[in-house]
Amino acid sequence: MATPKRLPATLADVAGRDDLDRLEILGGEIVEKAAPSPNHSLAEIKLGAAVDPFNRKPGGIGPGGWWIFTEIHVAYETGDLFCHDIAGWRRDRLDGRPTSWPIRTRPDWVCEIVSPRHERADQIEKPRVLHAAEVPHYWLVNPDEQLLLVHRWSRDGYVVVLRAAGADRVRAEPFEAIELRVGELFGLDDD
């Protein structure tokens, strides 16, 4: 007798769970997001602070023009549900600040901070879904390797447009209006 094929997980399968904030749906499977290490947490808060000048209306203090969130759930047409470390939407594309759970409008920028044992998801599986959704910019921050990779969407796949580490100072798209000191993401400013 054949084993019955299991149906792919859906939003309804995770919506009422107590551990919802740590759950994702990847390729039809419910997966738990890795618990952040101190290095992961530091990189997330430092990057959030670095891009904060964009997280406001344009024309005020800083460049503005974005809605930026940390640990935000986004549902994709593929059925995947990701709790992105950081994601942003250009304000001129939206009627207002996203408030629903999950957000169903594709982001304009996503950053994942690589976690041990989740490298494959962050480096292969998630970018495939994001590419299919035409997310214009995908960043990978790797605290263990102290590395920032900036990817730009192209029809054939994401193209790495910037690799930076340690003492590098960069203007990384889509946030070229500010200089990012890469080492700060990894606590190198504390030395």
Side-chain angles (χ1 to χ4, degrees), residues 93-157:
R93 272 198 333 110
L94 305 176
D95 293 333
R97 180 175 55 87
T99 58
S100 65
W101 184 97
I103 296 174
R104 295 178 184 270
T105 304
R106 71 119 173 107
D108 293 293
W109 169 71
V110 167
C111 178
E112 292 295 346
I113 300 166
V114 178
S115 298
R117 298 177 310 282
H118 288 257
E119 295 94 343
R120 179 175 175 80
D122 292 336
Q123 296 175 12
I124 297 172
E125 295 162 354
K126 285 184 180 182
R128 286 179 182 158
V129 173
L130 299 178
H131 182 263
E134 298 185 13
V135 173
H137 303 280
Y138 180 58
W139 288 16
L140 271 175
V141 172
N142 189 322
D144 292 339
E145 295 183 21
Q146 298 183 347
L147 179 67
L148 165 67
L149 294 175
V150 175
H151 300 81
R152 179 189 311 140
W153 188 91
S154 77
R155 190 169 36 90
D156 296 328

Side-chain angles (χ1 to χ4, degrees), residues 52-67 89-94 177:
D52 189 58
F54 293 90
N55 199 17
R56 54 186 46 96
K57 292 180 189 176
I61 299 171
W66 288 77
W67 294 109
W89 289 258
R90 292 184 186 272
R91 288 181 182 223
D92 61 6
R93 272 198 333 110
L94 305 176

